[in-house]
Amino acid sequence: GLLAGFALVILAVVAFSAGSSNPVFRFDWVQFIGENTLPIYCMHVIFTGFCRILLVRLGITSLSLHLLAGTLSGVVIPLLVYAAAQKMRVTQWLGFPLIRRKRELLSQLVSE
């Protein structure tokens, strides 16, 4: 029941943010996560695994805490690493495409 409730809460928040036209209730972070799925996909196992090992070694066995910490570390930390790599201009060295530059180039080509 707890796991299903957790999933339903996430779905409700996403549905509410997608359906809201009020900018105060809009969650642009959902779109941001969707736009950056490649870095999240490539790095989530590393950080989620590290988080799980850390929690087990600390003796934390709560399923809720493992889900919350694993989800946050598997999404937030890869996004932070990717943002830092973009600022340092090393995304190509790490194997990531320059997604933002491609979008800018595409919008320039379409507007011309």
Side-chain angles (χ1 to χ4, degrees):
L2 179 65
L3 190 58
F6 183 70
L8 286 174
V9 167
I10 290 174
L11 287 173
V13 167
V14 171
F16 179 73
S17 68
S20 176
S21 61
N22 187 341
V24 173
F25 296 112
R26 220 132 171 216
F27 292 103
D28 292 333
W29 56 272
V30 175
Q31 182 177 354
F32 179 75
I33 289 172
E35 290 173 350
N36 292 295
T37 55
L38 178 64
I40 292 171
Y41 175 75
C42 292
M43 292 186 280
H44 82 278
V45 172
I46 296 166
F47 295 109
T48 304
F50 174 75
C51 178
R52 178 158 166 71
I53 290 169
L54 182 67
L55 290 173
V56 168
R57 293 227 173 146
L58 291 174
I60 299 171
T61 59
S62 169
L63 177 62
S64 302
L65 287 177
H66 275 262
L67 282 174
L68 181 63
T71 301
L72 289 177
S73 67
V75 174
V76 174
I77 296 174
L79 288 176
L80 292 174
V81 169
Y82 186 60
Q86 280 185 325
K87 286 195 184 257
M88 295 186 303
R89 299 177 189 259
V90 295
T91 52
Q92 287 181 322
W93 293 350
L94 297 175
F96 298 117
L98 296 175
I99 296 171
R100 292 175 196 231
R101 287 190 184 171
K102 286 183 181 179
R103 276 195 209 118
E104 291 170 5
L105 178 63
L106 181 63
S107 65
Q108 288 175 357
L109 292 174
V110 172
S111 64
E112 291 178 358

